Amino acid sequence: MLQGWTVIAVALGYIGLLFVVASYGDRTRRFGREGRWRHFIYPLSLAIYCTSWTFFGSVGLASRTGFDFLTIYVGPILLIGLCSPLVMRIVRLAKAQNITSIADFIAARYGKAQTVAAAVALIAIIGTIPYIALQLKAVSASLTTILAPIGPATGAMQPVLGDIALYVAVAMAIFAVLFGTRHIDATEHQDGLMLAIATESIVKLIAFVGVGVFVTFWLFDGPLSLFAQALERPNTAAVLTREPVPGTILAMTLLSLFAIILLPRQFHVTVVENNNEGEIRRASWLFPLYLVLINLFVVPIALAGLLTFSPGHVDSDMFVLALPLAAHSNLFTIAAFVGGLSAATAMVIVESVALAIMVSNDILMPLVLQRREELIAGRNVGGLLLAVRRMAIFVILFLAYVYYRLAGDAQLASIGLLSFAAVAQLAPAFFGGLIWRRATARGALAGMTVGIVTWAYTLLLPTLAGVGLLDQSLLSQGPWGIALLRPQALIGLDLPPLAQGVIWSLSLNVLAYVVFSLGRSPSSIERLQADLFVPSDLTPIVAPSFRLWRSSVTVEELAATVSRYLGEERTRSSFDSYALTRGISIDPKGEADFQLLRYAEHLLASAIGAASSRLVLSLLLRKRTVSRKAALKLLDDANAAIHYNREILQTALDHVRQGIAVFDKELHLICWNRQFGEILALPPQLTRVGTALDHILRFHAEQSTSDKDMTDALVRERLGRYIASSEPFLERFAERDLVMEVRANPMPDGGIVTTFTDITPSVKAAEDLDGGCRSAPRN
């Protein structure tokens, strides 16, 4: 048997290695953003979805319900693998709005409503604390399995000071503070943290596959022998031949589909840490491949555990560790322990960072700004926010540790599904806001409130009763003896507990969302944000009914407000960049116009979120206006004016005869008019935001030649002209008998503006004239 000091030394050594990897990632961008390794960091960071629930809990679930565990991975494969355009759309919206968290995203859609942001943050915290507790339970159980002789579980808890889970939680909190809260700008990429997460994804994959190969081929002579032995025994054969329960299967698939984007850590790594759309396209096949690989040996390990150990002799969640331990393989025992530790630490670190950002931006900041503004008057608010985030990380992990101590012997999968169901209450407001323009903040708030209350009644209360914290009669008889109100059989509905809780909570959530949204017309800021989140080509452009008042706020006052949150250096460089991009000079004593107000709000959103940034500027404007309502009206009118000007500009561009397109510094399409697609005869998939210029050029090159080498050469030649040419040049499309004059002008930020003019008639006339001159007889 392994010595206790050896296991603890390995755990501490592994956590120390993560510190080294994260420090390296922060010191240099060579691994994370420059070389070929950057192609794998984003897909591997998405694998933070595979927590200790995957590493330990999936085996335990498979030993009880057969192949039901696969539903937890079907949802992520569907969303990331098959719905990558939707993920790209979410990322574009987040980048455009400077979104910092899932709470920020949903609040931004509903008019930057502070109440919506706070509600999302609270639901995320309530739903995630059990999930973090799951990781602590897995670490503690794995250590107990290694250090205690294999035998029947006693259910006894370790003393607090002797519980390794406590020390792991403290170590993870320190790691999250050091590498997840370095910058006040929550949209700034955490290179070191992401490199450490990618490293952990590799470690847990290698560890699980290694243990799976050892168990399957070393202990049982291959999968055929293993399955043959399993079918010979009634208890294991029952697992393989068990009929799936449709309600539970559908509920788990739906929950996993929502979880892959709505869990705070998943939104953070998928959206906030994304660098470009190429990463999403690459992840659309690499991430599903990762999920397939890490689940290859789940069923074999579960069957091996059932064949090796007597029922109740070993916790089925710990089969991954108990099997190599029983085979006296120290190497694979340590590998399994480190893999499980890796799965737990990665999740806890990023989850705690994401939740801490929401606590500071969406709960604390609004309270301070609205009720105790004098507490931050004249202070460096950026430093205060970082301190709050660091403190929040320790508090969140403490609450998770308390939940872990109270949860008792609950199975890992049951805790995980409870968290998934809680976070799923954000789904109607999140996805509904992307497709329904009529939705309002009032509807979103009502839906989430009704949904989380129903979740607590139908799923959380039975869990608490199961561990002895509530009277069991509540489940069997219902409150006040009313049988129709039993949490697991509401109005007598006979469904599996999970399916019933999910159906009731989401159904009532959607109902409240729709009814309360239809009960009142959207406000002006809600309509404006709906236009951004739910674009519609059929929406007529009507001038908004606003009068843009004078703000009476100077540029100097505006910059001073922003610098309190972002720092003087960052504010100064940002304002200088704004002036340079627009070719203007900013007078510090001059009045800030609505465009500068909007830019300042965008800057603040990166640090304190969209809802709080709107609140900060409204308080600044209130000093010069009559009321808070008037200040918010001015700020919303500034946003409406910019949006209206953008719509008018798009309409004007669509009436220009030339094709016009704008590409960013990475040569990705960001703006174009209708003639651009028509004159180049581009298919719809090439006229959308994010399309690379070389893809458009390749499309035309492939029309003129089928030779791959010649196509590549044509693309390189034409791309070079777009980048380097300062003079107009001609593009000829022989297959369409078309000649175009192309102009490519550089922009201050490194992008280019291109115009395409059909000059075919002029060229033909010149050629005909030249041909006529040559054929004329000489005198």
Side-chain angles (χ1 to χ4, degrees), residues 503-522:
I503 290 173
W504 275 113
S505 61
L506 286 180
S507 298
L508 294 177
N509 187 328
V510 171
L511 180 64
Y513 176 62
V514 173
V515 169
F516 278 81
S517 290
L518 294 176
R520 190 190 67 184
S521 298

Side-chain angles (χ1 to χ4, degrees), residues 196 327 396 486 497 584 640 701:
I396 289 167
R486 287 176 296 168
I584 61 175

